[in-house]
Amino acid sequence: MEFRQLQYFVKAAETMNFTEAAAAVFITQSTLSQQIKQLEEELGMLLFDRIGKHVRITEAGHVFLTHARKILMDIQKGKQAITELNNAATGELNIGVSYAFTSSLFPVLAPFSTKYPGIKISIISDNHVELEKKLRLAELDLIVAYHNESDDEDLEMQPLFSSSIVMVVAKNNPLAQLKSVNLKQLAELELILPGKGFSSRTFINELFYKHKMSPNINIELNDVHTLLSLVQDGDWATILNEKTIIGWDRLIAIPIAGQEVKKQSYILWQKGVYRKKAAILFTEQLMTVMSNE
């Protein structure tokens, strides 16, 4: 079984057309057909049904496709690892970030890119369930998120920092003079809140429900940067993790009296998978910046 045969098979399975697959890998259709036939003979099972000029993947083909893709991915990772040994400060870095964490990365991105201009960074924001799926499929190198501890054997969780749930207002807002705010005061304020799925929103819902009260929500959205911009430039208040306002010099955090709740953030890695040098450098920079805040 050869590497190229796996490439040809995967491309044929993706296109369901031998002629199109052959063109994609720069060989003739007859060569691709011959290589796949040799692969089938070695496996002892048909991977495709040939129906006239059309092909259809078989049950055995579906099973083998999963393994073939994993093998090709592992080979690509091996090449990446060797490349990085020669030049550690280049390559691509794909970082998954929970919605609540996006603004917390701002103080890290600019200095990191300045220090390592050869590293291309891609930031993907999503909920933690979708991010973990992408991490397991190697579409992400790491995840940074507020998260509950997990005994998931596939993931390694590296603690980053803990952050209190607080009220956030602009420094020129009269509320900024408060040393703390109680729940009754919060219920009377016009609030901009993060959408459902944010750890701070879950805390808010549970807190008000427990005390048989309801928050006065004017605006609800999932974009934390927009949310903070509105609070910064208006008279609204919001409730978020305190670390979320790192880098927002015109905002201030006010403790919620009697409701000390801390959320833990983590760097999540897939266990047993090679860690890119770029990913290690980024997490080192992230931990340095966060420890100084």
Side-chain angles (χ1 to χ4, degrees):
M1 188 178 300
E2 299 180 11
F3 171 68
R4 62 178 178 171
Q5 291 175 327
L6 297 180
Q7 288 181 304
Y8 300 162
F9 164 68
V10 169
K11 184 57 65 175
E14 290 173 347
T15 61
M16 287 298 166
N17 185 302
F18 279 16
T19 301
E20 185 179 334
V25 294
F26 307 105
I27 59 173
T28 64
Q29 188 269 335
S30 60
T31 299
L32 182 134
S33 297
Q34 182 183 29
Q35 291 297 318
I36 290 179
K37 182 175 175 57
Q38 290 179 7
L39 186 58
E40 289 175 323
E41 290 174 352
E42 182 174 350
L43 293 171
M45 299 205 54
L46 288 178
L47 299 174
F48 295 97
D49 287 325
R50 281 79 165 171
I51 307 170
K53 294 183 178 181
H54 302 285
V55 295
R56 182 175 61 196
I57 194 167
T58 64
E59 181 181 8
H62 277 296
V63 171
F64 189 65
L65 179 60
T66 300
H67 296 283
R69 281 175 168 160
K70 186 176 186 304
I71 291 169
L72 293 177
M73 186 180 296
D74 286 343
I75 291 173
Q76 184 59 40
K77 288 179 181 177
K79 290 180 178 179
Q80 176 79 28
I82 297 303
T83 299
E84 289 181 353
L85 287 177
N86 293 327
N87 192 348
T90 62
E92 295 186 1
L93 182 56
N94 300 303
I95 304 170
V97 185
S98 63
Y99 292 125
F101 208 98
T102 50
S103 63
S104 298
L105 283 187
F106 292 162
V108 184
L109 293 175
F112 182 81
S113 293
T114 300
K115 189 174 182 179
Y116 303 107
I119 297 176
K120 177 185 175 182
I121 301 176
S122 176
I123 305 293
I124 296 91
S125 297
D126 211 329
N127 63 68
H128 74 91
V129 175
E130 292 303 317
L131 289 176
E132 288 180 18
K133 286 181 183 178
K134 290 181 171 66
L135 183 64
R136 289 185 172 90
L137 292 172
E139 295 175 10
L140 296 174
D141 297 304
L142 67 142
I143 298 172
V144 185
Y146 293 103
H147 204 290
N148 295 323
E149 284 196 76
S150 171
D151 56 1
D152 193 322
E153 295 182 354
D154 293 337
L155 299 178
E156 180 176 331
M157 303 179 68
Q158 180 180 350
L160 187 54
F161 62 77
S162 61
S163 179
S164 298
I165 304 293
V166 296
M167 180 181 78
V168 175
V169 296
K171 287 184 176 179
N172 61 2
N173 189 314
L175 296 171
Q177 305 303 315
L178 296 175
K179 297 299 181 183
S180 64
V181 61
N182 59 45
L183 194 59
K184 183 179 179 181
Q185 290 172 305
L186 278 176
E188 295 172 351
L189 298 177
E190 294 183 344
L191 297 173
I192 300 179
L193 292 183
K196 295 177 178 64
F198 282 69
S199 58
S200 55
R201 181 58 186 273
T202 301
F203 164 75
I204 296 162
N205 290 347
E206 293 174 350
L207 180 61
F208 278 93
Y209 179 80
K210 177 182 176 182
H211 291 84
K212 298 180 180 180
M213 302 170 70
S214 298
N216 179 17
I217 305 172
N218 280 166
I219 301 175
E220 179 181 285
L221 43 80
N222 285 337
D223 185 341
V224 175
H225 187 273
T226 301
L227 186 155
L228 292 177
S229 295
L230 288 171
V231 173
Q232 177 178 262
D233 297 328
D235 295 326
W236 287 293
T238 189
I239 304 173
L240 290 169
N241 291 291
E242 185 175 12
K243 289 279 189 178
T244 304
I245 65 171
I246 292 174
W248 293 78
D249 296 334
R250 291 162 56 195
L251 295 175
I252 188 170
I254 310 295
I256 301 174
Q259 305 296 334
E260 178 65 16
V261 174
K262 286 186 176 290
K263 300 297 293 184
Q264 179 66 45
S265 65
Y266 294 91
I267 301 168
L268 281 74
W269 306 88
Q270 188 175 5
K271 285 185 181 177
V273 173
Y274 172 78
R275 296 183 184 179
K276 294 179 180 178
K277 183 67 174 178
I280 295 172
L281 292 171
F282 182 84
T283 55
E284 288 175 350
Q285 180 92 6
L286 177 62
M287 297 190 78
T288 298
V289 171
M290 292 303 175
S291 64
N292 291 331
E293 294 293 339

